[in-house]
Amino acid sequence: MLKKILSISGRPGLYKLVSYGKNMLLVESLVDGKRFPVHSRERVMSLGDISMFTTADDIPLSQVFENVGKKYENKPLDAKAYATPDQLHDFMAGVLENWDEERIHNSDIKKVIAWYNVLIGAGITDFAAKEEEAQDEEPTEEKKD
């Protein structure tokens, strides 16, 4: 699900990929539904490609969102409740075991909270990577008898 949700550098919020062309993408804001083109020179990152650092293996952002959703029952978070570094660290420790405190910065945790709220506000509560997305990437052949 998160493969088609994009973060665009320099633009607030998250965007859904609608279509793509030769040198641009057509995206739709998850906040207000407005559509606009994003040119190839802009830095665009899919949420499906982001992972969080832990002391063991890196964890996909989708798993972090799943953990947040389970803990907070897929309800929006009060971002103002996580204003201090201690509150942010407590939040992160509650949703991600063995998170790497040296490589995950407070701004990263704030972004996770903000993105989670945008996704919940847009009605997206299923963060798990689905098998059908993997099938979209690999074409299958059908046998006819």
Side-chain angles (χ1 to χ4, degrees), residues 41-132:
R41 66 183 175 274
E42 296 183 67
R43 285 187 49 199
V44 177
M45 185 172 293
S46 167
L47 294 191
D49 295 335
I50 299 174
S51 60
M52 300 292 288
F53 297 116
T54 66
T55 54
D57 292 330
D58 294 348
I59 303 295
L61 188 59
S62 61
Q63 183 62 47
V64 176
F65 285 148
E66 278 286 319
N67 295 348
V68 175
K70 286 178 187 173
K71 183 171 182 174
Y72 296 98
E73 301 172 350
N74 287 331
K75 294 182 180 171
L77 301 174
D78 180 12
K80 294 178 183 175
Y82 304 102
T84 68
D86 289 336
Q87 292 168 331
L88 291 170
H89 291 203
D90 290 343
F91 167 79
M92 202 66 198
V95 298
L96 184 60
E97 291 183 18
N98 303 325
W99 68 286
D100 193 337
E101 294 184 40
E102 293 180 12
R103 296 196 298 175
I104 296 178
H105 304 289
N106 293 339
S107 61
D108 298 330
I109 302 170
K110 288 178 183 179
K111 199 174 288 186
V112 166
I113 293 169
W115 286 351
Y116 172 80
N117 284 337
V118 169
L119 292 170
I120 293 298
I124 299 171
T125 57
D126 184 17
F127 306 110
K130 295 180 182 177
E131 290 180 21
E132 47 193 63

